[in-house]
Amino acid sequence: QVQLVESGGGVVQAGGSLRLSCAASGRTFSSYAMGWFRQAPGKEREFVAAIRWSGDSTYYADSVKGRFTISRDNAKNTVYLQMNSLKPEDTAVYYCAADRFYIATMAWAPGYWGQGTQVTVSS
């Protein structure tokens, strides 16, 4: 069982940066793949980025590639999402997710979810 708590959301101007954090409970954090999804108003939740348990494999949605970076610190049970060059279309609730199973595709379907943190990018 893994419990996830996101933080770091807020309001930022277009072109700015934010770093989201996701703290996980449980002694087996290092064996879980971690990732981020987002849901904008009126839209379905979409994949953003994922990282293998070891940190040696990452995968990004095309819409964020080159602007967002996912990383993890297994000693701190934390995964991060560094978001640079933010655009108004990045406005959404961002969710942290985890699963023992990892595939480097947008079809990854994690079983554990956090409550979400709001990111608002103003133009």
Side-chain angles (χ1 to χ4, degrees):
Q1 191 79 11
V2 176
Q3 293 183 324
L4 307 171
V5 179
E6 303 96 335
S7 62
V11 180
V12 63
Q13 288 190 330
S17 299
L18 279 176
R19 188 176 81 156
L20 304 183
S21 300
C22 173
S25 64
R27 283 179 262 181
T28 58
F29 170 80
S30 61
S31 65
Y32 281 78
M34 302 294 297
W36 292 92
F37 288 71
R38 67 187 182 186
Q39 187 168 20
K43 295 187 177 181
E44 293 188 354
R45 188 160 53 187
E46 65 175 4
F47 171 85
V48 174
I51 186 167
R52 197 202 303 262
W53 67 269
S54 57
D56 63 350
S57 174
T58 57
Y59 188 78
Y60 297 91
D62 286 344
S63 59
V64 306
K65 202 173 294 182
R67 300 188 299 122
F68 291 11
T69 302
I70 188 171
S71 61
R72 66 189 295 160
D73 185 337
N74 286 344
K76 296 182 178 180
N77 281 15
T78 302
V79 64
Y80 305 98
L81 185 69
Q82 178 66 45
M83 305 185 294
N84 298 329
S85 302
L86 282 161
K87 304 175 181 179
E89 52 263 44
D90 294 317
T91 295
V93 177
Y94 283 71
Y95 296 90
C96 179
D99 202 276
R100 287 189 180 275
F101 181 65
Y102 170 79
I103 52 172
T105 76
M106 294 181 66
W108 183 55
Y112 299 96
W113 296 87
Q115 293 299 306
T117 185
Q118 177 71 46
V119 171
T120 302
V121 184
S122 62
S123 57

